Structures are given as C-alpha cells and as structure tokens.
Amino acid sequence: MQDQDIISVTTEIVGDIALVCVDNPPVNALSVHVRRGIQDAVAEINAAQSAKVIVLYAAGRTFIAGADITEFGKPPMPPALPDLLNEMEQSKIPVVCVLHGTALGGGLEVALASHARVGIKGLRIGLPEVLIGLLPGAGGTQRVPRLAGIPVALDMSLSGRQVAAKEALGMGLLDALEDGEPRDVALRAGQDALDGKIKTRRTDLIDTTPDDAALEEARKMVARKFPNLVSPQRCIEAIAASTGPISEGLKIERKAFMDCLDTPQRAGLIHAFFGERAVANIPEKKATPRDINAVGVIGGGTMGSGIATSALMSGLSVTLVEVKEDALERGIATITKNLEGGVKRGKLSADQRDQMLAQLTGATDLAALSDVDLVIEAVFEQMEIKKEIFTKLDAVCKKGAILASNTSYLDINEIAAQTSRPEDVIGLHFFSPAHIMKLLEIVVGEKTAPEVVASGFALAKRLKKIGVRAGVCDGFIGNRILGHYSKTASYLVLDGATPQQVDDALEAFGFAMGPHKVGDLAGLDIGWMTRKRKAATRSAEERYAGAVADRICENGWYGRKTGRGYYVYDEGDMHPNPEVAKIIDEERAEAGVTPRSFTDEEIVDRYMTAMISEAARVVEDGIALRPVDVDVVFLSGYGFPRFRGGPLHYADTIGAKELVRRIETYAKEDAHYWQVPEILRKMAETGKSFDDINKGG
C-alpha cells in the first residue's frame, strides 16, 4: 500500500528479470512512499517467484540522491531505512542495483545492501552525513568496510566527499561500469547476473579485514582537525565494529546515529545546510537575470586577480584592467599562478587551465570594457577613487551592463549617484581569496533594479558561491558586525587578557583562527585605514579600542605580509610578538587600566554576546533579510564554527533572556558599548527566538 496513493516505485517483468524503477522527482529522495514501494516490490517478487533476478534502478537524472530532507525533524514512518535494507539484503532472489547520477547517503546504502552494483558513467557516490553532524545510519559504516575495506570507509565517512564511478569501481564498491540509459543498462545487468557475468553476493556474509593502524590514524586525525565534533568520533567507533557480526555492528551504528541526532551540533549543521538554500529566497527572485558572458575586472591586486580567476573558472571571459602595464602583468601572473594551483591540486587539467587563460585579456584603458556585460571594480578602498571610476564607466559601458563595486564598507548609493544609471549599480563583495572563499555579499542600493539583483544571485550560483542579499550601511552585514565585536577582543586585551589567550579561547570554541591571527592574516593595515577613515565619526563617549593595533601598525608591522604583527612569522614558525606585550603595558598605563584576569569562558561569552548584539541590530535595521542570512554570512565568510550554526542560531541556544542579562551586566562597565538591541529585548519578553523570525513569526 503506497503512502497516500503516491506511486513512486513500479515493477516490470521482462522474462526472468524484474525491473523495479524508482520515480520520485526531482532527485528520487527516499521518501516514505519510496521506502514502502521498494519493500513491497521486493516482497511481492519473492512471494510470487515471478523472476530470477531483481534489478533496482531509477528514472530521471539521478539514482536515489539521499534522504527526503522534508522528513527531517518529523516522527519517522515505517519502514525505517535500516529495516528495509536488512530485508532487501535477505532477499532469496538476488537484487542488483543500477546507479546513475548521484547515489549519496541513504541512496548509496540502498545499493550497498543489494547483491551487486552496476554504475553508469558519470556516477558519483558518497556518504555525506558527517557534513550535517550525523554518520551513515543504514549500514554504511558496516557494508563499505566489507566491500572496500576499513581505510575506504574511513575516508568516505569522515570526509563526506563524492567519489567518481571509476574510483568506486577500483575500490570494489561497484561490480561493473557501463554506459547507456538506466533501463537499458538494468536489463543488461539483469541478464549478466543470470549468466554469471556479474557475481551476486550478500554483503553481510563478507568479512571485514581488520585494520587497527588505519583506525588509530583516523582517531588522531579527528582529534587534531575536529576536536569539537562528535559525529566523526562516533563514525570511527561504528566502523571499528564492522569486523564483528554485522548484526552487532548495525546496533552500534544505530546507537551512534541516534546519539548524534540528539546533539546541538547536528541541529547547528542542519541549520547551516538549510540556511545556504534559504538565502536564495529574495524579494527579487522572480526577476529575470541579465545575460552575463563577458566580465571586466578593474584592479589586478590580490582581490581583483582572485575575482578574475573565479570568473575564468566558471567559463566567463575576462578583461582585466590596470592603470600601468607592470601592474597588469603582475595581475595576469597572479591569475596564472592561481589557475596553476588548481592544476597542482587536481582541480583542473592543464588543458582547462590553458582554455581559461585564452579567455583572459588585459588592458590599461577602461575603454576596453565597452562591450562587457558586467564590470567588477576591485580597487583601493577609497570613495573618491571609486567615484572617479564609476563616472568613467558610465560613459564607456554599453547600455544594460551591470556596474558592480567590490567595496567592503563604502556606500553603494553614493557610488551609484555618480552614474546616469544607478539602477544598474550593485555591490558584489567578494571575500579573499576570491577564487576560493564561498561567500558573496550582494549589496542592493536604493535604486538597484530587481533584474540586476537577480543577476547577482545568478552570478553567485555560476561562480559556485553562496550569495547573500545585504542592504547599504557601513560594512554591510559581515564587516559591520565584525567592526563591532572585534572591539571586544581589543577591550579584553586592554583589560588584562593577552592576544594569544583570546585567540586560544575562541579557537577552542570552534573558530579556525582567533581574531588576532585573522588580523595578521588579512593585514592589520586594513583595519588601521578603516579606523582613520571613521575617526571623525567616533563618539566622545566611545572607549577607543584601536590603540594597541594602531601602535603595532605605526611600527610597520601589518601581520604575515611584513613578517610580524601580533605574532612573529619566521620560516613557518609563529610565536607571540614580544614587542606587542610592551605596547599593551604602555597603553594600559596610559589609560589608567589595572589589568585583571579573564577565564576562557568569560572571553567567549563577551565576544559572542557582542557579535550577537550587533547581528541582532543588523536584522532589526533590515540590512539582512532574516537572521539566517547573518548566519550564512558568518559561516561562509568569517570562519564561524559550522557546527554551531551561525551567531544567531547559537544565540537561540543561549536564549534572549540570558543575553539581555549579560549585556546589562557588562553595561555597568561601559554603557556606551553594551546596549540591548530592541529586537532582543522584545524576544526576551515574548519568548520568541531568531528561528521564529526566520519562519516569519
């Protein structure tokens, strides 16, 4: 009996072959009606003895791509996938799976429980559950080791990576690799099984070869790279159990899966997963994007060359413009080096690199941009320079061309006002290195046309980036919030902590790098320039947070690029800069501060409360459409620990009442800096959460 009369699994008998087809568009997800359909089909064919081999395949563009994400968080409906697969594995009539497109998570686990697997060229398989805080929960940790060995199971389960068909064949996860349409291949595979050309066997009857060395190496790697994460550790535990009876291993796997299901990490990672899709829901989503094939990039520095690299890698043609020939040559050399890096990492072939470079042209005159569809200005962060460029672009570029600025802070409306077509002007804020970082803030001005906004999101998708819509203010979403909470790190140092302690505490919380290490990496001169730019707007009541950083910059120490900043960088070695400790002591004395000690917990609480406070104001002001947009910005562009779901998801785990209490407590020390956002106060009064706001509540 199919769920609600939905027919998504059909059976066709062709001679001695029973073809069972899954047809649940768009990706043949393992919805309850699919699970019931497979269960009924296998049971009925066995009962009737109507065939000698069962071949399971899928219609459409893919095999079973995984679980039905719409069922996440809902009460499970039978049959549970593990039970279905155990039944299928016990089928008296052998079951062959024919896989095409992708077979991920539960989709791959279906194939693993069959008696043979035939891939169609172009197939990719994977166990991505670790990416959402889980582990394979329907036999993946038990059947992969039996078919391909413990090292393969560890690699696939801990990385979540997708494996190409040829590699999967070599691993032993596929028994054959064919070409053709799924139904045609299914018929051939069924006949090959009948003829003995494909060996069928139950996976549960295969023994796993023990490999203690691989397990120990994996434990060390996880402890080093993912010390805060639960699911990788439980995954190793389950794979280690695959050397015993499969019934016991499946029990251990299931318990580990259910334990992970109940963790805040799983909730955070699921929030991140759905958030990356939610940010595409924008007011302009129904507008028709403009065609973008040719792109101009102004500025061949680190950012401009990274943007150009990203565009070339997506198949766009690029014209790079610099003011002088030597600067242009350096920019082209950087782009070439970036693409060469892709070749060395196996991401590109040499031919692909050469084809991309053939799409790159250089110029020292803006007139070269007369026919491009999009211009991205990526020059120095000074308003007068940008105004001058946009005035010239207005005269040079064709009608309908999109004029974009890569500014990190500056007012897009002011820039757009320099043109006769402000509706064509938008902010496209890339993050460095632009050809690697996933985030693209799409900054919408007062007069930006809906189709230009839609074009920005289409471009983000083409560049394989996550586009997030932002309103206009100083710093937009990410840098505005950063500008606020980074002061907390500075205040903590002025009041008694060391830069290293602050960094260590926040890295233990889950950040890849602490704020002082990030500053050194990005270049301390960037923040110094911003502080000087905004000096005239600083309130007399504000406690100045930049005194230590200013002194460091005055010495010409800008971080990694100069060999020292908060830390000293010497041939791969990094250690605290002893001169910074002297500067801190002097600035404390100048400010009349008696240093006190902070616990790591106090450091994290203050830092995160400051981040959440300004993030709440960004939502309150409408700069971000929803709390989830803030979360995605920080997950994709600022190294926020993914398993915590983003700053406003994390805020919900603390609760609005506790956050208000903290802010009011801290305000006794500095009432100007610590102010309760009105949105947060109302949430504390009503019991609402940021997630309620995401849902429209």
Side-chain angles (χ1 to χ4, degrees), residues 549-565:
D550 289 352
R551 289 275 306 277
I552 294 171
C553 289
E554 285 164 9
N555 283 300
W557 303 334
Y558 300 152
R560 285 181 181 264
K561 61 187 174 185
T562 59
R564 66 176 55 206

Side-chain angles (χ1 to χ4, degrees), residues 19 379 633:
L19 296 179
V379 303
V633 164

Side-chain angles (χ1 to χ4, degrees), residues 10 13 22-23 51 156 181 204 258 294 343 506 508-509 521 686 694:
T10 55
I13 305 297
V22 176
D23 189 2
M156 291 184 65
E181 293 300 313
D204 63 335
M258 297 307 293
V343 174
L506 291 164
F509 176 76
L521 180 63
T686 61
N694 285 326

Side-chain angles (χ1 to χ4, degrees), residues 89 112 114 117 143 146-147 201-206:
E89 194 167 50
L112 296 172
S114 70
R117 288 147 295 281
R143 294 187 175 102
R146 285 171 163 78
L147 290 166
R201 54 182 180 168
R202 279 172 42 183
T203 308
D204 63 335
L205 299 180
I206 302 170

Side-chain angles (χ1 to χ4, degrees), residues 32-55:
V32 60
H33 45 88
V34 172
R35 301 195 301 273
R36 288 178 182 169
I38 294 172
Q39 182 183 50
D40 291 348
V42 173
E44 288 166 8
I45 294 164
N46 271 273
Q49 293 291 299
S50 52
K52 293 180 180 178
V53 64
I54 300 169
V55 185

